């Protein structure tokens, strides 16, 4: 899909101005011009594409794999600055799933991985009547995230339900302010790896009463 969005950002008027004319935008204040003079607004163009492959290896065992890419052009002329941002986002996910049922016992299991990558180029200028002016700063940002996951669901009879799972997550930030020569760039930060286990059990003691616990 493709979307092209534009909306203006008036706001910032007093109650007296609202009573006088509710169509007013933010008025000039001191050395700052108003919203109309600066042509404030948000412009966002995004294209998105994805493909999914579903595979059935057996009646009970299969896989679903997806690949996604999207690109965003974002512009935001504001009172004090003009932001222009370009983003590319990529992601991939694969999920293996297995199911088994015998009488009143049912089992569902799945395991897989997901990878996401963001590439952003952010430029901020002065705003001169709705047009970019002098450069304030320019940033390049790369964000990489991935996680592994597994989950098991079991129905034992008609009353007992057990769920267990775990995920492993990690994020890497890469940041470079290209207009700042006084700092050592790029700056890289890694978050994780973080392992998050989960266990839950539910028991239907009576028709209208169930007990549930989770860790």
């Amino acid at each position: 899909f493709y979307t092209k969005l534009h909306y203006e950002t008036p706001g910032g008027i007093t109650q007296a101005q609202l009573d006088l004319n509710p169509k007013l935008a933010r008025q000039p204040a001191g050395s700052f011009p108003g919203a109309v003079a600066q042509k404030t607004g948000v412009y966002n163009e995004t294209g998105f594409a994805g493909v999914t492959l579903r595979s059935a290896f057996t009646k009970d065992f299969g896989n679903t794999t997806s690949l996604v890419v999207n690109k965003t052009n974002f512009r935001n002329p504001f009172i004090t600055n003009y932001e222009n941002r370009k983003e590319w986002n990529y992601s991939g996910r694969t999920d293996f799933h297995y199911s088994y049922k015998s009488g009143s016992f049912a089992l569902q299991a799945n395991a897989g991985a997901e990878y996401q990558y963001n590439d952003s180029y952010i430029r901020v200028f002065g705003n001169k009547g709705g047009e970019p002016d002098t450069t304030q700063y320019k940033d390049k940002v790369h964000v990489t995230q991935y996680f592994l996951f597994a989950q098991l669901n079991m129905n034992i009879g008609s009353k007992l339900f057990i769920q267990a799972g775990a995920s492993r997550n990690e994020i890497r930030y890469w940041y470079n302010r290209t207009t700042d020569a006084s700092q050592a760039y790029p700056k890289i930060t890694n978050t994780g790896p973080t392992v998050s286990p989960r266990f839950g059990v539910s028991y239907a003691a009576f028709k209208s009463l169930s007990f549930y616990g989770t860790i």
Side-chain angles (χ1 to χ4, degrees), residues 38 76-83 124-127 136-137:
Q38 293 292 74
N76 178 209
F78 185 60
I79 300 292
T80 55
N81 59 36
Y82 191 115
E83 179 184 356
V124 176
F125 309 91
N127 184 3
Q136 294 186 4
Y137 60 85

Side-chain angles (χ1 to χ4, degrees), residues 8-21:
E8 298 173 331
T9 52
I13 59 176
T14 67
Q15 183 65 51
Q17 292 168 338
L18 176 67
D19 295 338
L20 179 67
N21 182 2

Side-chain angles (χ1 to χ4, degrees), residues 36-113:
V36 173
Q38 293 292 74
K39 301 179 182 178
T40 62
V42 169
Y43 302 81
N44 190 331
E45 291 184 74
T46 295
F48 179 98
V51 60
T52 297
L53 174 67
R54 294 183 177 89
S55 305
F57 307 128
T58 68
K59 183 183 69 171
D60 301 318
F61 179 54
N63 173 268
T64 301
T65 296
S66 300
L67 298 174
V68 171
V69 59
N70 76 284
K71 183 179 188 297
T72 293
N73 292 329
F74 178 88
R75 293 186 295 119
N76 178 209
F78 185 60
I79 300 292
T80 55
N81 59 36
Y82 191 115
E83 179 184 356
N84 196 327
R85 185 168 75 240
K86 296 184 183 298
E87 294 183 357
W88 281 95
N89 294 283
Y90 310 90
S91 68
R93 176 185 175 92
T94 186
D95 182 4
F96 292 90
H97 42 85
Y98 172 77
S99 61
Y100 173 80
K101 184 173 176 59
S102 177
S104 60
F105 175 81
L107 179 147
Q108 291 181 323
N110 69 294

Side-chain angles (χ1 to χ4, degrees), residues 93-96 110-114 147-151 165-168:
R93 176 185 175 92
T94 186
D95 182 4
F96 292 90
N110 69 294
E114 183 165 339
F147 58 91
L148 310 174
F149 59 89
Q151 181 164 302
S167 64
R168 183 185 189 276

Side-chain angles (χ1 to χ4, degrees), residues 182-198:
S182 64
Q183 299 285 334
Y185 288 102
K187 296 183 182 295
I188 300 174
T189 300
N190 291 286
T191 302
T194 301
V195 177
S196 303
R198 183 178 71 253

